[in-house]
Amino acid sequence: MSKKLYIETVGCQMNELDSELVVATLRKQGYELTDAPGNADLVLFNTCSVRQHAEDKIYSALGRLKHAKRENPRKIIGVLGCMAQKDQGLIFQRAPYVDLVVGPGQLHQIPKLIDDIAVGGGQKMEVSLERKDGSREEIARSHESFDPLRDPSMRPSPYQAYVRIQIGCDKFCTYCIVPSVRGPEQARHPNVILAEARQLAGEGCKEITLLGQTVNSYRHHDGERTTRMPDLLALLHEVAGIERLKFVTNYPKDMTDDLLQTVRDLPKVSPYLHVPAQSGSNEVLKRMKRGYTVEDYREMMGRIRETVPEAAVTSDFIVGFCGETEADFEQTVELVRESRFKNSFIFKYSPRPGTKGFELFADDVPEDVKKRRNNELLAVQNAISEEDNQPFIGRTVEILVEGPSKNAVKHGHDDGPILQLTGRTHCDRIVVYEGNRRQIGELLPVTIYDANAFTLFGSVVTRETGPELYTLELAK
Ligand code: 5AD
Ligand code: SF4
């Protein structure tokens, strides 16, 4: 009888990819997924440490399993990912019934560790070296990129996939825990990335999103050959079957002209750039140690608008960072007003033990002020998103159909042949339309008839009746 695996994932796309790969690996060991933690033989949490809130949620979820573990001591409970690396043995102290703690650089060890636990080996922990615990090379070696063979059935959609091109981060922004828990920046070999892209394309994947903490800083040296992000995009552009290439997350300082020209010139590369600004105030940026000024960021936005005018740019902001005054915040609002991001992710500063910011600065912006600034900035951004989505009304866009819309799933209307479907444009805008299940995974023209801040609403242009395609066909 197969064993049952329940896995819960929080955090970034890197974690989603890690979970996909862990599940694929465990499936090969005879595990089957279940969505009920209660009757699972193995319960895994793939965790995030970027904000306190994400950690609190995991500790409460672990708390809820205490009873189940007492009922069934053979149930194996594991904590993976960034919080495992950050808290290590503290997890066993806070939740003594946890069996397994595995950092993001040690995921390849999971099958063996689980086998050891199952035969009575006791609690197991595998984490990577900490930044202070050795030479850069030693630490880098202890953070291994976990990229086993892909399994299309393990992805939410077989038509889309993440591909890791870089692990770790060396920027050390003072608020950020990522460089400690994910280790030094390391680039995967371009040939390995290319082979993975080819395999994915062979399995029917049409869209690849390249992942890295500072993805546009990608640089791989191999003897005399240096491969940078534009070179890598050019290599991947040649993979037959791949129709779209996206990459996240970008670091503003490394948004070079040749990368922007590559985005402009290679049709498969999506005109979509996620480039977090974090703040619009130079004082705050300096304390964050972001390595650029707001003038640098504006200059970069100018180059993006000039080289790739149709590009959708998105950003991240932290409000209420240590010492952020009302005047600092106003400068952030101003930057959001003028930049016209497609959308922004806005976070309240969460002090992280183990970061320079935690050591150096007091978390002195009160929670209610953080909340107000968060809401205010979000309102400014949402008004812009809504305004900038209006010109799409009446236009026909090409979308990659992903699957049933959230609404269809929520209301249980996702099992018939005709249903509300969702997809994304090349510039990453979400489109909802009424369509046929068979269209999932296809690139389809859709005419937009309505739009709000987050979603475009459209109807599919059929070959028989669609105005655009009809004229195209007549013109041939
Ligand atoms: N507090 C709040 N937000 C943070 N981020 C990173 N660290 C913190 C923190 N300590 C945000 C940044 C980053 C995004 C992924 O999370 O905006 O770009
Ligand atoms: Fe964190 Fe800064 Fe690295 Fe992004 S660039 S992962 S914010 S340290």
Side-chain angles (χ1 to χ4, degrees):
M1 217 180 64
S2 72
K3 292 166 287 183
K4 292 209 161 33
L5 160 67
Y6 172 84
I7 187 164
E8 203 169 301
T9 306
V10 292
C12 62
Q13 290 115 325
M14 216 39 120
N15 269 15
E16 285 175 36
L17 172 58
D18 282 338
S19 288
E20 176 198 321
L21 298 175
V22 166
V23 173
T25 307
L26 288 173
R27 287 249 293 205
K28 292 204 178 78
Q29 316 277 316
Y31 280 92
E32 226 174 57
L33 274 181
T34 167
D35 47 17
N39 61 25
D41 303 285
L42 172 60
V43 177
L44 296 176
F45 294 97
N46 195 3
T47 61
C48 171
S49 274
V50 164
R51 283 167 290 276
Q52 182 69 43
H53 180 65
E55 295 191 349
D56 295 344
K57 269 179 31 193
I58 296 298
Y59 278 113
S60 357
L62 286 173
R64 285 194 295 275
L65 282 174
K66 191 174 177 175
H67 181 70
K69 176 74 175 185
R70 204 177 299 143
E71 297 275 291
N72 174 15
R74 294 186 64 81
K75 188 195 269 300
I76 297 176
I77 301 175
V79 177
L80 321 177
C82 293
M83 195 182 93
Q85 178 67 36
K86 173 174 158 284
D87 284 359
Q88 306 192 356
L90 181 68
I91 297 173
F92 294 136
Q93 281 174 34
R94 288 185 64 173
Y97 43 91
V98 166
D99 302 285
L100 178 68
V101 170
V102 188
Q106 298 293 323
L107 299 176
H108 55 281
Q109 307 227 39
I110 288 176
K112 181 185 163 302
L113 295 168
I114 288 172
D115 285 348
D116 290 351
I117 295 167
V119 297
Q123 288 176 318
K124 297 281 167 203
M125 178 166 90
E126 284 296 338
V127 290
S128 302
L129 290 179
E130 293 186 45
R131 284 282 193 159
K132 58 179 186 341
D133 285 348
S135 68
R136 195 190 142 80
E137 283 65 40
E138 285 167 335
I139 300 166
R141 240 179 290 124
S142 83
H143 285 267
E144 288 187 40
S145 188
F146 177 57
D147 299 282
L149 286 181
R150 305 297 297 256
D151 178 345
S153 64
M154 283 300 95
R155 286 195 292 281
S157 148
Y159 310 104
Q160 294 170 292
Y162 293 126
V163 170
R164 198 184 330 262
I165 68 167
Q166 183 189 57
I167 63 171
C169 180
D170 282 340
K171 305 291 191 220
F172 286 100
C173 303
T174 56
Y175 53 80
C176 187
I177 194 71
V178 168
S180 328
V181 290
R182 293 235 174 217
E185 181 183 320
Q186 301 182 66
R188 280 181 85 203
H189 197 294
N191 292 348
V192 178
I193 299 169
L194 186 61
E196 195 169 319
R198 287 198 178 119
Q199 189 206 336
L200 287 164
E203 293 164 352
C205 179
K206 292 186 178 167
E207 178 183 282
I208 283 179
T209 302
L210 306 174
L211 297 186
Q213 302 297 341
T214 56
V215 76
N216 56 335
S217 320
Y218 177 89
R219 180 184 283 267
H220 187 275
H221 300 280
D222 175 16
E224 58 251 40
R225 187 168 74 141
T226 300
T227 309
R228 294 160 58 255
M229 193 56 181
D231 312 315
L232 185 64
L233 286 171
L235 274 173
L236 295 173
H237 200 263
E238 298 309 308
V239 177
I242 298 300
E243 308 279 354
R244 285 181 177 180
L245 285 164
K246 297 180 177 174
F247 51 100
V248 289
T249 292
N250 291 285
Y251 185 63
K253 277 296 262 191
D254 293 327
M255 205 46 111
T256 56
D257 283 337
D258 59 343
L259 176 56
L260 294 179
Q261 284 152 11
T262 305
V263 176
R264 177 193 63 196
D265 295 340
L266 298 182
K268 292 181 182 178
V269 178
S270 292
Y272 160 60
L273 298 167
H274 180 59
V275 208
Q278 310 296 3
S279 171
S281 150
N282 280 335
E283 286 306 307
V284 175
L285 288 172
K286 207 190 292 161
R287 274 198 297 282
M288 289 177 162
K289 215 166 137 287
R290 282 291 284 175
Y292 54 84
T293 61
V294 68
E295 290 76 24
D296 295 332
Y297 192 89
R298 287 202 168 95
E299 186 267 343
M300 175 208 73
M301 280 302 282
R303 285 187 294 113
I304 294 178
R305 297 296 184 216
E306 193 176 302
T307 311
V308 205
E310 80 281 18
V313 184
T314 60
S315 189
D316 290 351
F317 287 93
I318 296 176
V319 294
F321 186 62
C322 314
E324 186 190 67
T325 63
E326 213 50 40
D328 289 322
F329 174 65
E330 280 310 318
Q331 290 172 5
T332 300
V333 173
E334 188 44 46
L335 183 65
V336 168
R337 277 220 174 88
E338 72 183 50
S339 301
R340 303 204 78 88
F341 300 114
K342 174 179 77 95
N343 60 273
S344 291
F345 299 94
I346 301 165
F347 308 102
K348 292 179 291 181
Y349 173 58
S350 168
R352 308 282 54 221
T355 61
K356 270 273 171 280
F358 184 82
E359 247 172 63
L360 295 177
F361 315 116
D363 175 28
D364 54 0
V365 178
E367 179 60 25
D368 56 330
V369 176
K370 285 182 184 170
K371 203 176 270 172
R372 174 181 48 79
R373 290 181 187 167
N374 190 338
N375 291 342
E376 223 174 292
L377 196 59
L378 201 59
V380 172
Q381 174 62 59
N382 286 349
I384 290 169
S385 303
E386 180 158 1
E387 238 173 77
D388 288 355
N389 275 346
Q390 299 312 305
F392 281 89
I393 296 175
R395 267 162 61 181
T396 298
V397 293
E398 188 181 58
I399 66 166
L400 175 61
V401 185
E402 296 181 359
S405 74
K406 270 197 198 133
N407 240 336
V409 175
K410 196 169 137 200
H411 296 109
H413 298 153
D414 58 338
D415 47 2
I418 304 296
L419 70 173
Q420 199 182 53
L421 292 163
T422 180
R424 275 171 200 261
T425 65
H426 211 3
C427 60
D428 210 52
R429 284 183 163 84
I430 297 169
V431 177
V432 163
Y433 76 102
E434 186 94 347
N436 191 309
R437 175 175 296 283
R438 282 198 319 258
Q439 292 162 337
I440 297 172
E442 279 183 33
L443 284 152
L444 276 189
V446 168
T447 303
I448 304 304
Y449 63 82
D450 199 5
N452 64 27
F454 317 105
T455 312
L456 307 178
F457 300 89
S459 39
V460 70
V461 181
T462 62
R463 228 154 253 286
E464 292 74 37
T465 57
E468 255 74 10
L469 280 184
Y470 188 57
T471 39
L472 267 182
E473 273 172 11
L474 276 186
K476 263 190 224 155

XYZ file of all heavy atoms in Angstrom, residues 12 49-51 175-178 249 274 276 278 290 316-318 345 347-352 355, ligand 1:
226
model
N 8.142 32.003 -1.341
C 8.375 32.474 -2.710
C 8.294 31.338 -3.729
O 8.089 30.176 -3.390
C 9.750 33.119 -2.771
S 11.070 31.939 -2.368
N 11.239 32.395 5.902
C 11.714 33.159 7.057
C 11.743 34.656 6.807
O 12.272 35.407 7.616
C 13.144 32.734 7.395
O 13.101 31.616 8.224
N 11.203 35.075 5.663
C 11.365 36.471 5.273
C 10.663 37.414 6.247
O 11.159 38.492 6.544
C 10.891 36.661 3.815
C 10.659 38.117 3.480
C 11.954 36.117 2.880
N 9.496 36.985 6.753
C 8.786 37.780 7.762
C 8.361 36.881 8.923
O 8.102 35.690 8.740
C 7.549 38.457 7.143
C 7.894 39.681 6.302
C 6.743 40.139 5.452
N 6.461 39.198 4.382
C 7.090 39.187 3.219
N 8.016 40.070 2.959
N 6.799 38.280 2.300
N 17.740 44.260 5.922
C 16.503 43.706 6.484
C 16.327 42.222 6.173
O 15.417 41.573 6.686
C 15.282 44.463 5.907
C 15.294 44.508 4.392
C 14.875 43.424 3.645
C 15.790 45.616 3.715
C 14.929 43.434 2.274
C 15.848 45.647 2.337
C 15.416 44.552 1.624
O 15.501 44.565 0.265
N 17.190 41.672 5.325
C 16.841 40.410 4.655
C 17.602 39.204 5.203
O 18.823 39.210 5.325
C 17.098 40.548 3.162
S 16.514 39.123 2.240
N 16.879 38.135 5.461
C 17.438 36.917 6.025
C 17.942 35.958 4.935
O 18.673 35.007 5.213
C 16.375 36.219 6.933
C 16.989 35.144 7.822
C 15.234 35.649 6.112
C 17.843 35.657 8.939
N 17.546 36.236 3.680
C 17.832 35.290 2.599
C 19.324 34.937 2.453
O 19.671 33.753 2.353
C 17.239 35.792 1.258
C 17.755 34.992 0.071
C 15.713 35.698 1.321
N 13.756 37.210 -9.486
C 13.507 38.609 -9.249
C 14.720 39.418 -9.658
O 15.848 38.967 -9.448
C 13.247 38.827 -7.741
O 12.016 38.205 -7.390
C 13.177 40.260 -7.352
N 10.088 42.247 -12.947
C 9.859 42.476 -11.509
C 11.173 43.005 -10.926
O 12.162 42.271 -10.845
C 9.436 41.164 -10.847
C 9.175 41.312 -9.378
N 8.232 42.189 -8.888
C 9.732 40.729 -8.299
C 8.224 42.125 -7.560
N 9.141 41.246 -7.185
N 12.218 45.028 -7.643
C 11.859 45.672 -6.380
C 12.656 46.946 -6.102
O 13.884 46.954 -6.220
C 12.195 44.608 -5.333
C 12.099 43.319 -6.062
C 12.604 43.628 -7.457
N 11.868 48.772 -3.090
C 11.868 48.694 -1.604
C 11.543 50.021 -0.916
O 10.845 50.037 0.090
C 13.173 48.117 -1.043
C 13.648 46.820 -1.667
C 12.738 45.620 -1.459
O 11.660 45.725 -0.863
N 13.112 44.470 -1.976
N 20.825 48.977 0.041
C 20.380 48.436 -1.237
C 21.389 48.662 -2.355
O 21.296 48.058 -3.425
C 19.028 49.064 -1.623
C 17.851 48.474 -0.893
C 17.558 47.050 -1.324
N 16.905 46.951 -2.623
C 16.648 45.793 -3.232
N 17.019 44.651 -2.679
N 16.040 45.770 -4.402
N 8.527 45.589 -5.356
C 8.264 45.288 -3.938
C 8.627 46.522 -3.129
O 9.592 47.220 -3.468
C 9.182 44.168 -3.419
C 8.875 42.801 -3.996
O 7.852 42.644 -4.674
O 9.689 41.880 -3.748
N 7.866 46.754 -2.053
C 8.196 47.841 -1.126
C 8.087 47.351 0.301
O 7.210 46.537 0.625
C 7.239 49.025 -1.321
C 7.512 49.778 -2.590
C 6.817 49.454 -3.747
C 8.472 50.764 -2.639
C 7.089 50.111 -4.934
C 8.752 51.435 -3.831
C 8.056 51.110 -4.980
N 8.970 47.852 1.150
C 8.858 47.614 2.582
C 8.489 48.944 3.215
O 9.193 49.943 3.001
C 10.191 47.106 3.174
C 10.540 45.752 2.564
C 10.094 47.001 4.692
C 11.887 45.202 3.004
N 4.080 44.640 -4.610
C 3.893 43.860 -3.390
C 4.408 44.726 -2.248
O 5.551 45.184 -2.299
C 4.641 42.542 -3.471
C 4.166 41.687 -4.609
C 4.808 41.724 -5.847
C 3.049 40.871 -4.460
C 4.349 40.964 -6.909
C 2.585 40.100 -5.517
C 3.236 40.147 -6.744
N 5.039 45.287 1.876
C 5.210 44.548 3.125
C 5.516 45.501 4.260
O 6.232 46.486 4.074
C 6.372 43.553 2.991
C 6.259 42.656 1.795
C 7.009 42.901 0.644
C 5.384 41.579 1.793
C 6.908 42.088 -0.470
C 5.276 40.752 0.690
C 6.040 41.010 -0.446
N 5.001 45.172 5.440
C 5.389 45.908 6.640
C 6.714 45.320 7.115
O 6.878 44.097 7.145
C 4.323 45.734 7.739
C 3.004 46.413 7.391
C 1.977 46.189 8.474
C 1.549 44.731 8.487
N 0.542 44.390 9.475
N 7.636 46.192 7.491
C 8.942 45.710 7.938
C 8.784 44.753 9.115
O 8.071 45.024 10.075
C 9.838 46.883 8.338
C 11.132 46.417 8.975
C 11.997 45.565 8.291
C 11.469 46.803 10.269
C 13.168 45.110 8.883
C 12.652 46.357 10.861
C 13.489 45.507 10.163
O 14.640 45.048 10.746
N 9.471 43.630 9.021
C 9.461 42.627 10.072
C 10.912 42.360 10.460
O 11.692 41.859 9.650
C 8.792 41.358 9.520
O 8.979 40.271 10.372
N 11.314 42.770 11.672
C 12.721 42.604 12.061
C 13.100 41.127 12.125
O 12.351 40.317 12.683
C 12.798 43.244 13.450
C 11.400 43.451 13.897
C 10.489 43.376 12.732
N 14.237 40.777 11.548
C 14.674 39.385 11.486
C 15.978 39.188 12.240
O 17.015 39.685 11.799
C 14.893 38.952 10.014
C 13.761 39.204 9.047
C 12.622 38.215 9.135
N 12.054 38.055 10.456
C 11.686 36.895 10.986
N 11.813 35.796 10.310
N 11.163 36.831 12.176
N 19.951 39.377 10.958
C 20.269 40.352 9.903
C 20.984 41.551 10.520
O 20.877 41.796 11.727
C 18.987 40.852 9.213
O 18.160 41.505 10.202
C 18.204 39.717 8.578
N 10.383 42.547 6.385
C 9.450 42.837 5.449
N 9.586 42.532 4.180
C 10.720 41.926 3.769
N 11.139 41.519 2.564
C 12.360 40.947 2.701
N 12.736 40.982 3.994
C 11.738 41.593 4.687
C 11.539 41.925 6.050
N 12.460 41.679 6.971
C 10.377 41.732 1.343
C 11.173 42.524 0.298
C 11.492 41.480 -0.734
C 10.294 40.566 -0.615
C 10.454 39.215 -1.188
O 10.054 40.501 0.757
O 10.333 43.509 -0.261
O 11.651 42.009 -2.029
